[in-house]
């Protein structure tokens, strides 16, 4: 068995008139949401890049270019499912994710279990194999001023042989 780890990072700006979706979960009552070509789910995007990195298969921009109308307002869980299938075609199986979301506001902790469940179900994992952590930027920088939300992730994948 060969195991590999990859890292991912993503950031999207916050703006009014957008839904706030993280880890495939729409945060109810959020007054602003993330701006991007897809649903701008920075947490799921960081995990996708971690998976692609672990398997040595490029990055999210190569597979889902923001010039492609197919991915406009796309549900990022759909992109995650496509990436998991792509990895399986190359013999890789995801076994673990760990992620940190850097978000000043709103408070995301009440939605942690829902995020773990939706990410795990999409990737064929158990919720205990998907860890999601939250932190603030202590009021500093674009995240601290709540102008953006960022996420980092690591993913572990394995391949037989
Ligand atoms: Mg992104």
């Amino acid at each position: 068995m060969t195991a590999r780890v990859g890292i991912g990072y993503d950031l999207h700006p916050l703006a009014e008139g957008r839904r706030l979706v993280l880890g495939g979960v729409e945060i109810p009552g959020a007054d602003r949401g993330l701006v991007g070509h897809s649903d701008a789910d920075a947490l799921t995007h960081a995990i996708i890049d971690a998976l692609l990195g672990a398997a040595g298969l490029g990055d999210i921009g190569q597979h889902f270019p923001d010039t492609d109308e197919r991915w406009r307002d796309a549900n990022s869980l759909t992109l995650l499912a496509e990436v998991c299938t792509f990895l399986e075609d190359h013999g890789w199986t995801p076994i673990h994710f760990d992620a940190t979301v850097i978000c000043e506001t709103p408070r995301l902790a009440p939605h942690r279990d829902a995020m773990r469940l939706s990410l795990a179900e999409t990737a064929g994992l158990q919720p205990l194999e998907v860890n999601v952590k939250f932190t603030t930027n202590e009021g500093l920088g674009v995240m601290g001023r709540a102008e953006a939300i960022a996420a980092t992730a690591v993913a572990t994948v394995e391949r037989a042989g």
Side-chain angles (χ1 to χ4, degrees), residues 19 21 24 38-39 41 44-45 71-80:
R19 299 181 309 136
V21 181
S38 65
D39 62 7
D41 180 340
T44 301
H45 293 182
W71 314 121
R72 180 174 296 283
D73 297 323
N75 179 340
S76 293
L77 291 181
T78 304
L79 310 188
L80 176 60

Side-chain angles (χ1 to χ4, degrees), residues 10-12 38 40-42 45-46 60:
D10 195 30
L11 175 150
H12 283 271
S38 65
D41 180 340
H45 293 182
I60 190 170

Side-chain angles (χ1 to χ4, degrees), residues 10-147:
D10 195 30
L11 175 150
H12 283 271
L14 281 160
E16 287 176 7
R18 291 279 299 184
R19 299 181 309 136
L20 178 58
V21 181
L22 289 164
V25 175
E26 181 167 348
I27 308 303
D31 58 349
R32 294 176 304 152
L34 294 171
V35 180
H37 184 63
S38 65
D39 62 7
D41 180 340
L43 170 56
T44 301
H45 293 182
I47 288 172
I48 287 171
D49 256 358
L51 281 168
L52 290 168
L57 293 171
D59 68 28
I60 190 170
Q62 280 179 281
H63 294 276
F64 307 105
D66 63 10
T67 50
D68 191 331
E69 282 302 311
R70 264 184 305 168
W71 314 121
R72 180 174 296 283
D73 297 323
N75 179 340
S76 293
L77 291 181
T78 304
L79 310 188
L80 176 60
E82 288 215 11
V83 164
C84 289
T85 301
F86 181 61
L87 260 65
E88 261 163 44
D89 292 345
H90 288 78
W92 294 104
T93 304
I95 58 170
H96 163 256
F97 307 147
D98 181 30
T100 299
V101 180
I102 304 145
C103 173
E104 212 72 16
T105 183
R107 215 172 105 69
L108 297 174
H111 308 287
R112 185 194 320 266
D113 290 346
M115 292 180 194
R116 295 177 80 172
L117 187 63
S118 73
L119 291 164
E121 279 184 345
T122 304
L125 296 172
Q126 298 299 315
L128 285 174
E129 295 165 331
V130 177
N131 197 56
V132 179
K133 309 184 297 298
F134 306 108
T135 190
T136 71
N137 225 29
E138 299 289 340
L140 299 173
V142 289
M143 273 91 78
R145 292 191 296 269
E147 295 168 4

